[in-house]
Amino acid sequence: MNTTTTTTALPTRALGATGPRVSALGLGCMGMSALYGEADRAESIATVHAALDAGVTLLDTGDFYGMGHNELLINEALRTAPAEAREKALTSVKFGALRTVEGGFTGYDGRPAAVKNFAAYSLQRLGTDHIDVYRIARVDPDVPIEETVGAIAELVEAGHVRHIGLSEVGADTLRRAAAVAPIADLQIEYSLISRGIEDRILPAARELGIGVTAYGVLSRGLISGHFTRDRSLAPGDFRGMSPRFQGENLGRNLDLVDRLRVIADAKGVSVAQLAIAWALSRGEDIVPLVGARRRDRLAEALGALDVTLDAADLAAIEEAVPAGAAAGARYPEAQMAHLDSEH
């Protein structure tokens, strides 16, 4: 299986009609700080360095990942990276989630004053004078999206932010936001077993010239080929509450992975590489984010860029995992309620 990285420049894709060109795969850094149990700080930083060395230019984070921990980790990784790699790195930051000391989530704040407050703290933690793409993590139901996006637009005008993004919004909200200011990209879950955006959201994004940064392309490891039926999750791993990882749902979803493995084995690639290659095949306007926490997983993910899927491959994948085949919702019910994209 192809699990080697390359030291040459990776292929690039544009984040929409107005956004920057970035590496065709981005690195999602959340798991280095939160929600998957303990992470190895040294290995996390080494993974960021390996990604930069391989040509990854897009680093995705959130100010609430470990309550600032992730931004500080990225700061350290960039400070200790070679200057050439550091200068090419772009940061994509989500904000707005309200947390408790114990780690709970209590809502989202999209008020203009809060937007600028969140940005000030992120700039300090990241050790930079600008954020490349800035987006609210979930729509604040009490604040019109026009006001939230307008505040980010003011940060763009002031030079603190380069581009405006959105996260987990539906087609109608996407249109309202785009009427206020140019939107570079929509960050939203998109994978073989999470294809809801194909109905209305993706067509709207394409109509508006908005790119997609797809997270969850391996469904939090569920369709990576590495998750087993008897795996015990570490304390603090939020997958312990995820419907797709529960009981019969887990078994049914791993049955889908077994079908993918047959196709992957026939092509001489890993299941993860097949799933990432599928996401890459959905359009040049889609940039998958891979949530690798270790260098070996990163190397495997980057190998997907060398996988070509022809019409027969895509048909076989569609037959193995048709749209809507997943068992269970992608988030617990309480979290699903915060997703504008699901309404």
Side-chain angles (χ1 to χ4, degrees):
M1 294 180 184
N2 183 0
T3 57
T4 59
T5 60
T6 175
T7 56
T8 58
L10 296 180
T12 62
R13 294 182 170 186
L15 290 188
T18 63
R21 290 199 72 85
V22 299
S23 52
L25 286 179
L27 181 64
C29 300
M30 179 187 76
M32 298 176 181
S33 298
L35 300 179
Y36 289 104
E38 289 295 321
D40 183 322
R41 186 179 187 85
E43 180 61 23
S44 294
I45 290 173
T47 300
V48 175
H49 286 169
L52 296 172
D53 184 59
V56 173
T57 62
L58 181 63
L59 302 178
D60 184 77
T61 184
D63 63 9
F64 52 93
Y65 293 167
M67 283 74 92
H69 179 280
N70 203 240
E71 290 179 320
L72 291 169
L73 185 142
I74 289 174
N75 180 338
E76 182 178 349
L78 291 175
R79 279 191 293 106
T80 54
E84 182 181 2
R86 181 170 63 248
E87 290 164 4
K88 292 179 181 177
L90 301 177
T91 53
S92 171
V93 179
K94 288 178 292 299
F95 69 88
L98 304 176
R99 305 294 303 272
T100 66
V101 174
E102 295 75 22
F105 287 85
T106 59
Y108 296 89
D109 193 344
R111 294 171 302 148
V115 172
K116 294 173 182 179
N117 178 75
F118 287 129
Y121 280 87
S122 283
L123 289 167
Q124 180 69 25
R125 284 188 292 259
L126 289 165
T128 183
D129 63 358
H130 73 275
I131 295 165
D132 293 288
V133 189
Y134 201 48
R135 73 188 83 240
I136 191 165
R138 300 286 187 269
V139 174
D140 181 345
D142 298 323
V143 178
I145 193 64
E146 291 86 350
E147 293 184 17
T148 302
V149 168
I152 306 176
E154 291 178 5
L155 290 171
V156 172
E157 186 176 352
H160 304 311
V161 169
R162 295 280 167 82
H163 303 280
I164 303 171
L166 292 167
S167 176
E168 287 290 354
V169 304
D172 294 342
T173 303
L174 199 61
R175 295 181 193 282
R176 288 168 52 198
V180 175
I183 305 297
D185 71 315
L186 166 64
Q187 187 170 123
I188 195 163
E189 186 168 356
Y190 187 36
S191 73
L192 271 168
I193 63 171
S194 294
R195 295 175 59 177
I197 73 168
E198 293 177 347
D199 295 334
R200 294 185 63 235
I201 296 172
L202 185 55
R206 286 177 167 159
E207 176 192 329
L208 296 164
I210 296 172
V212 170
T213 40
Y215 76 88
V217 291
L218 295 179
S219 301
R220 299 161 185 83
L222 182 58
I223 60 171
S224 67
H226 301 298
F227 205 93
T228 60
R229 285 169 168 78
D230 59 353
R231 178 171 173 178
S232 296
L233 295 171
D237 191 323
F238 89 108
R239 290 174 293 186
M241 298 182 293
S242 172
R244 290 183 176 172
F245 288 83
Q246 305 303 311
E248 292 184 3
N249 286 350
L250 177 62
R252 288 170 57 191
N253 291 328
L254 290 180
D255 286 344
L256 299 176
V257 176
D258 289 340
R259 296 180 201 169
L260 287 176
R261 196 183 308 277
V262 173
I263 302 169
D265 288 348
K267 287 189 68 68
V269 302
S270 72
V271 175
Q273 288 169 341
L274 189 73
I276 296 167
W278 178 88
L280 286 163
S281 77
R282 306 311 283 177
E284 286 291 317
D285 54 349
I286 294 172
V287 176
L289 300 172
V290 294
R293 300 198 297 171
R294 300 180 346 215
R295 284 167 286 182
D296 59 336
R297 294 287 193 254
L298 172 69
E300 180 184 25
L302 291 175
L305 292 166
D306 298 324
V307 178
T308 300
L309 301 178
D310 60 24
D313 295 326
L314 292 170
I317 292 170
E318 185 73 26
E319 183 178 359
V321 186
R330 57 194 183 101
Y331 284 103
E333 186 175 349
Q335 293 181 39
M336 289 292 286
H338 289 293
L339 297 177
D340 181 76
S341 54
E342 294 286 339
H343 299 156

